[in-house]
Amino acid sequence: MTHRSAPFVAPNLHLTQSDGSDNSDNGNPSALLVDEKAHKKQVKLLLSTLQADIAQFRDNFFPPPYLTQIQDLPIYAGNLAEVQSYEQTWQALIDRAKGFYPSAGLPPDYLPLPASLEIPQFIYHVQKLHLTRTKAKESKNFGSVGALVEKCGPYEDAHLIAMENALAKSEDVRLVAHREFIDLRAYVFCRNPKGELLEPERIRFYRTGLVIQTLADFKVVDSRQTPRKKRNDAYKNAIADNGIWKIFVKN
């Protein structure tokens, strides 16, 4: 099963004016706009504070000192009590993160927190771990050359002209940027309460780290020496390339 991350949902915050009164619209439409801007600013500040707190906590408590590292990877294994104890040290930060991503870990999709937060992923009742490498690509879409250059870096003048000409042909044209990389993944096989082996979860773990509770006869299958072939690319004939990002035209 492939996981995308839980969607961001801005929390509801009670905003007050400097005099302590409630900042409601009072029939004034401009007050609603002020409210919205203040709310976005406060949410952004709270999220930035959370990210800073997570980074500081990781510096002090990751990797976990009493769990066993799996090979040379940010994967750490232990028994039930050890993993639960370590997860508990993260719980306050996890709860704060779920204030911004309330569907994380909930049915029916059980989507994880976004990797950008860098909170470790915790998985229990693990019987087998299959480590793989695969050729993959990061993809971004742009409707302007300026936005593309800001995200992907500088290009030669001829490439910039080619991108401008492509966008000028139609309002529906988009520029698609691809960056190839080797993606490390773990296929995690768990057992349910009946002892049945479940279908594996495919986990991207390198940025967040992975903490697992292992069962008896736990084993690791390492296929990293034979990268899987990448899928056929639907985009052909790049119109620009700065050595990192290749640019294609999407009509």
Side-chain angles (χ1 to χ4, degrees), residues 106-124:
L106 297 179
D109 298 317
Y110 299 97
L111 299 175
L113 291 165
S116 59
L117 291 179
E118 298 189 1
I119 292 176
Q121 300 178 73
F122 295 86
I123 301 182
Y124 291 83

Side-chain angles (χ1 to χ4, degrees), residues 113-175:
L113 291 165
S116 59
L117 291 179
E118 298 189 1
I119 292 176
Q121 300 178 73
F122 295 86
I123 301 182
Y124 291 83
H125 314 296
V126 178
Q127 185 67 79
K128 183 173 73 171
L129 202 62
H130 185 187
L131 305 173
T132 68
R133 289 196 310 160
T134 186
K135 295 179 179 179
K137 66 176 181 295
E138 183 179 0
S139 182
K140 297 179 182 292
N141 284 265
F142 300 94
S144 74
V145 175
L148 184 148
V149 170
E150 182 179 352
K151 294 291 185 180
C152 302
Y155 286 82
E156 296 178 3
D157 288 345
H159 291 172
L160 295 174
I161 292 172
M163 288 188 277
E164 292 284 7
N165 290 340
L167 289 173
K169 291 180 179 179
S170 170
E171 293 183 356
D172 296 327
V173 169
R174 302 283 292 179
L175 298 175

Side-chain angles (χ1 to χ4, degrees), residues 33-47:
L33 183 59
V34 173
D35 255 4
E36 184 179 353
K37 288 182 177 180
H39 180 261
K40 288 181 178 179
K41 183 177 181 179
Q42 192 169 353
V43 168
K44 185 176 180 179
L45 176 61
L46 289 173
L47 184 57

Side-chain angles (χ1 to χ4, degrees), residues 65-233:
Y66 49 84
L67 299 180
T68 302
Q69 185 175 13
I70 303 295
Q71 299 188 18
D72 57 341
L73 300 171
I75 303 177
Y76 301 89
N79 61 35
L80 178 60
E82 291 170 334
V83 173
Q84 285 180 331
S85 175
Y86 184 62
E87 184 175 15
Q88 188 58 41
T89 67
W90 279 92
Q91 195 59 53
L93 290 168
I94 292 172
D95 290 342
R96 284 171 61 189
K98 287 183 177 180
F100 298 97
Y101 304 90
S103 65
L106 297 179
D109 298 317
Y110 299 97
L111 299 175
L113 291 165
S116 59
L117 291 179
E118 298 189 1
I119 292 176
Q121 300 178 73
F122 295 86
I123 301 182
Y124 291 83
H125 314 296
V126 178
Q127 185 67 79
K128 183 173 73 171
L129 202 62
H130 185 187
L131 305 173
T132 68
R133 289 196 310 160
T134 186
K135 295 179 179 179
K137 66 176 181 295
E138 183 179 0
S139 182
K140 297 179 182 292
N141 284 265
F142 300 94
S144 74
V145 175
L148 184 148
V149 170
E150 182 179 352
K151 294 291 185 180
C152 302
Y155 286 82
E156 296 178 3
D157 288 345
H159 291 172
L160 295 174
I161 292 172
M163 288 188 277
E164 292 284 7
N165 290 340
L167 289 173
K169 291 180 179 179
S170 170
E171 293 183 356
D172 296 327
V173 169
R174 302 283 292 179
L175 298 175
V176 180
H178 285 174
R179 178 182 68 86
E180 294 186 351
F181 64 99
I182 296 296
D183 189 16
L184 284 173
R185 299 175 185 177
Y187 289 81
V188 184
F189 294 78
C190 299
R191 292 192 181 276
N192 65 17
K194 297 180 180 179
E196 301 166 332
L197 195 64
L198 302 173
E199 290 293 319
E201 293 186 64
R202 188 178 71 180
I203 303 294
R204 289 185 173 91
F205 61 88
Y206 211 81
R207 186 169 183 180
T208 61
L210 179 60
V211 180
I212 58 175
Q213 176 227 340
T214 56
L215 301 175
D217 301 322
F218 166 77
K219 66 178 181 178
V220 177
V221 178
D222 191 346
S223 300
R224 288 179 293 162
Q225 301 307 313
T226 54
R228 299 171 61 193
K229 293 182 179 179
K230 67 177 181 179
R231 300 173 183 171
N232 291 331
D233 200 332

